């Protein structure tokens, strides 16, 4: 909380006393200065998969499908997947790049040190949702603008969460493994397989994704609880049957399934630690497509080993890519995947279009859609304050 | 169709001219004669899993939780999982058993030969739904009663189908495999992962399970089509947005996802053969929790190998248990499990209670709930005619 306060103070100091949309002394300008820009994109490499689908825009090779458009306007577009260490390709371009585009699926970590080095940098774009790979305090202090394509893959992630709830509740993975291993042992699956109907599902966070999830849960006839800073409107509660829980720690022990739908902030980092997990129902199932660092990694492993957590599924890790020896790969009763829930082909088409739209506005000196801003010329968006 | 006609004729001949509820000359009586009955139950063995969950009623060891109740009334209750071949445990009891209880998850195949041998047999009960493991023609000709616990696990199966749709559309399995194998290759997953939103899902059959599935699909904003003998009422169509397709072969080529929700009958056996599969959309996804024999086994394998079918998931096989060398275990892009979707703990509690209720009514000479009958004293229920 102390750190969060400091960010807000720093941002406010930079933004005032002039109006919030005007540049401050420290700002490196939201609107592009005229002339050719150097734009760097960091995306996951697709290799042999790049050509298999014409809509597969989110990989390094296809680079959001904007190369021709950028180059026809005289801009330079560098694309790489090589993002770590002092000798990586990204490092070579930090000093003179104007814009950095990256995704949550293969994040280029933008540290204070990199920001200091990036003298020309004006704009940090997330092709997708989430900007926790960026040191927002340093970005704000440097007067940068940070924006994402809000809403571009919320449906993708919400669908994926519902899939994971069902996979855990119904105990899918051991059944699949039996098939592949040539086995047939129904009892090993069915002694701990349940229906979702009648169970209690609670979401920590009820933003866009949390709300889409609750709408999709509605026909399953389960008890839906949600915790958020803000109570949803009556119409939403009536539509979904979801019940607001003001106190997170009063909600959690009621849940058979806990879904994490909160951004990673200083407040939520490590919020599911040993103590909080110990207060969850024994046999709880956890779905986390939000961010890996919201969980205490080892506390999750220990609780899966003891059986206190009966199943854990998500596609977010800390760090990403997860190293070969990441313990979540080997803990019992997990249904983990690499970070892909937001990078479906449908999601890629939406976040590529949204990124192109923001670049176009940047070149033309127009504002972005208001909901896309994380940091606008050094001022943090309200949800990050 | 010829065979189906023969069944109906045989059944009608047995049932008439006396009223359909009265016993015929050939009937072995729906209502129990007084005295001790020999009841045989065939269930999957649970071994070390039997004691892990007090509600795990569907296994051999826990035997629906009705042993004490049956024995306290003087009945004999034999339970086994050994159901195949001339020397199996089941064969030892066929000659003098009055009632056989079995499940679709570990079916005791009741052939004409076994029925002929079973001189005392009166009642065949399915703990769960589906009686295609029984030669219904022979059962009807012998005047037996065949009944299931209709509705006991429809929710369980419908939930499982929605899980499988999402697993295929979103390409879950390769992601999970990467995690377990220590890999991180987002592109190998995301080049063929999609959102369900906006896709067309068609169900072949819109009985109880098909309807529950369509209700659960509603908030996903996909196009829902259904084929059945009977159009659903306007209220259902309005609630779900589902559209009736009278002609199956006109519906199928429109579907991105085909879900099979029809019982196995002589009409549906092998209905998805090479020719019908060739008319499906290239890249179609198929979910089949109905019965394995509705598909031509090799045609499915060939279409998965060619990529015409881009994903196949289900928990039903032909035969069951699936042998180690069943080709569906090894075809690409499958997400198969052993037959478990209807045997969740919640489903077990419901079908154990429903089976006990029918036994109680049988001992007391009362009718069963009408919807439970497959064959009533030699007469086939209308949906099997």
């Amino acid at each position: 909380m102390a750190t969060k306060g400091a960010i807000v103070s720093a941002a406010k100091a930079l933004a005032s006393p002039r109006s919030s949309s005007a540049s401050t002394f420290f700002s490196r300008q939201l609107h592009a200065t005229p002339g050719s820009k150097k734009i760097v994109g960091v995306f996951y490499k697709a290799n042999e998969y790049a050509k298999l689908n014409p809509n597969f825009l989110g990989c390094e090779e296809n680079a959001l499908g904007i190369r021709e458009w950028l180059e026809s306007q005289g801009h330079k577009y560098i694309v790489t997947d090589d993002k770590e260490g002092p000798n990586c390709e990204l490092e070579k371009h930090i000093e003179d790049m104007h814009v950095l585009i990256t995704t949550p699926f293969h994040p280029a970590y933008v540290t204070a040190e990199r920001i200091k080095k990036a003298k020309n940098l004006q704009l940090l774009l997330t092709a997708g949702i989430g900007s926790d790979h960026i040191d927002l305090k340093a970005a704000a202090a440097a007067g940068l603008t940070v924006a994402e394509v809000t809403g571009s893959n919320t449906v993708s992630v919400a669908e994926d969460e519902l899939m994971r709830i069902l996979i855990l509740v119904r105990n899918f993975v051991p059944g699949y493994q039996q098939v592949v291993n040539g086995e047939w042992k129904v009892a090993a699956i069915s002694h701990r397989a349940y229906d979702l109907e009648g169970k209690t599902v609670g979401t920590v966070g009820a933003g866009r994704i949390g709300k889409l999830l609750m709408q999709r849960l509605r026909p399953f006839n389960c008890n839906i609880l949600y915790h958020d800073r803000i109570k949803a409107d009556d119409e939403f509660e009536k539509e979904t049957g979801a019940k607001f829980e003001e106190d997170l720690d009063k909600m959690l022990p009621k849940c058979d399934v806990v879904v994490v739908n909160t951004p990673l902030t200083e407040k939520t980092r490590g919020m599911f630690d040993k103590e909080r997990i110990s207060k969850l129902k024994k046999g709880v199932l956890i779905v986390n497509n939000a961010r890996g660092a919201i969980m205490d990694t080892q506390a999750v492993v220990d609780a899966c080993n003891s059986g206190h957590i009966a199943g854990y599924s998500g596609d977010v890790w800390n760090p990403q890519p997860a190293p070969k020896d990441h313990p979540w790969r080997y803990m019992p009763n997990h249904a983990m995947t690499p970070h892909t829930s937001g990078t479906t082909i449908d999601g890629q088409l939406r976040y590529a279009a949204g990124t192109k739209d923001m670049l176009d506005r940047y070149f033309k000196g127009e504002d972005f859609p208001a909901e896309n801003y994380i940091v606008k010329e050094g001022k943090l968006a309200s949800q990050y304050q």
Side-chain angles (χ1 to χ4, degrees), chain A:
Chain A
M1 289 301 289
T3 319
K4 190 184 148 212
I7 299 176
V8 177
S9 307
K12 282 192 177 155
L14 287 165
S16 58
R18 291 163 66 176
S19 89
S20 65
S21 65
S23 298
T24 69
F25 176 73
F26 298 101
S27 168
R28 302 202 209 167
Q29 298 154 339
L30 168 62
H31 305 314
T33 46
S36 170
K37 299 294 167 192
K38 180 168 182 177
I39 294 148
V40 175
V42 177
F43 308 104
Y44 54 81
K45 200 183 265 298
N47 299 314
E48 69 269 31
Y49 303 105
K51 293 191 176 166
L52 295 182
N53 189 331
N55 293 323
F56 184 20
L57 300 179
C59 59
E60 186 204 320
E61 291 83 345
N62 298 330
L64 304 182
I66 55 174
R67 177 177 295 285
E68 209 173 310
W69 174 74
L70 284 173
E71 290 178 351
S72 72
Q73 296 180 67
H75 302 298
K76 198 166 179 186
Y77 190 30
I78 308 290
V79 175
T80 182
D81 78 320
D82 184 21
K83 63 187 180 68
E84 306 287 352
N87 301 315
C88 71
E89 181 68 19
L90 173 59
E91 280 292 334
K92 294 182 197 160
H93 304 286
I94 284 182
E95 274 192 36
D96 65 344
M97 69 185 179
H98 298 91
V99 179
L100 175 64
I101 307 169
T102 182
T103 74
F105 317 109
H106 185 75
Y109 292 101
V110 183
T111 58
E113 194 188 349
R114 279 180 164 172
I115 288 172
K116 201 175 163 190
K117 197 175 158 191
K119 307 278 185 227
N120 285 348
L121 187 60
Q122 295 174 316
L123 183 58
L124 292 163
L125 292 178
T126 300
I129 301 176
S131 296
D132 49 84
H133 53 285
I134 298 167
D135 184 329
L136 293 179
K137 187 179 166 183
L144 299 181
T145 288
V146 182
E148 63 180 21
V149 192
T150 293
S152 61
N153 49 18
T154 47
V155 163
S156 314
V157 178
E159 287 187 3
D160 200 84
E161 289 177 349
L162 188 42
M163 175 190 75
R164 287 171 198 277
I165 292 171
L166 289 167
I167 283 173
L168 293 181
V169 169
R170 309 190 56 84
N171 206 17
F172 168 78
V173 168
Y176 172 74
Q177 286 170 325
Q178 283 187 23
V179 167
V180 172
N181 294 336
E183 299 168 331
W184 187 283
K185 297 185 292 186
V186 170
I189 305 158
S190 59
H191 79 281
R192 57 195 302 274
Y194 292 86
D195 293 347
L196 178 53
E197 182 165 281
K199 308 304 180 291
T200 298
V201 182
T203 170
V204 182
R208 287 160 186 259
I209 295 171
K211 286 204 175 76
L212 290 169
L213 173 66
M214 289 189 273
Q215 286 166 335
R216 281 153 183 73
L217 279 169
R218 173 59 167 158
F220 284 88
N221 302 318
C222 41
N223 309 310
I224 308 174
L225 307 177
Y226 71 98
H227 168 76
D228 202 286
R229 293 178 304 169
I230 308 155
K231 190 177 182 301
D233 56 39
D234 291 350
E235 199 186 348
F236 176 83
E237 291 199 346
K238 200 179 158 192
E239 176 200 343
T240 58
K243 290 192 193 91
F244 178 61
E245 295 272 343
E246 196 167 359
D247 186 335
L248 173 65
D249 288 310
K250 283 191 180 157
M251 176 182 86
L252 289 175
K254 300 177 194 170
C255 299
D256 300 302
V257 183
V258 172
V259 187
V260 183
N261 272 313
T262 186
L264 176 64
T265 63
E266 288 314 309
K267 194 179 164 189
T268 63
R269 187 177 295 275
M271 72 183 285
F272 282 90
D273 55 10
K274 188 178 170 180
E275 195 196 336
R276 189 166 262 128
I277 289 172
S278 74
K279 290 176 185 163
L280 301 176
K281 210 181 254 198
K282 190 166 158 41
V284 69
L285 306 173
I286 299 181
V287 169
N288 176 16
N289 277 5
R291 284 298 178 262
I294 294 170
M295 319 305 290
D296 176 324
T297 301
Q298 191 56 43
V300 169
V301 175
D302 293 343
C304 282
N305 280 326
S306 76
H308 195 98
I309 296 176
Y312 184 94
S313 182
D315 73 341
V316 288
W317 304 68
N318 181 26
Q320 289 187 184
K324 273 194 202 311
D325 63 352
H326 195 295
W328 289 4
R329 291 184 186 266
Y330 310 105
M331 63 191 181
N333 299 317
H334 81 72
M336 297 297 296
T337 63
H339 193 173
T340 55
S341 65
T343 184
T344 57
I345 295 295
D346 305 274
Q348 292 174 48
L349 288 167
R350 286 189 297 261
Y351 67 67
T355 304
K356 185 179 175 186
D357 174 63
M358 285 195 286
L359 287 171
D360 194 37
R361 289 168 187 255
Y362 164 71
F363 299 140
K364 290 178 178 164
E366 294 171 4
D367 269 4
F368 300 165
E371 66 274 18
N372 285 10
Y373 287 110
I374 309 294
V375 179
K376 185 176 180 182
E377 296 176 58
K379 191 185 174 194
L380 275 168
S382 62
Q383 72 270 28
Y384 286 88
Q385 289 172 12

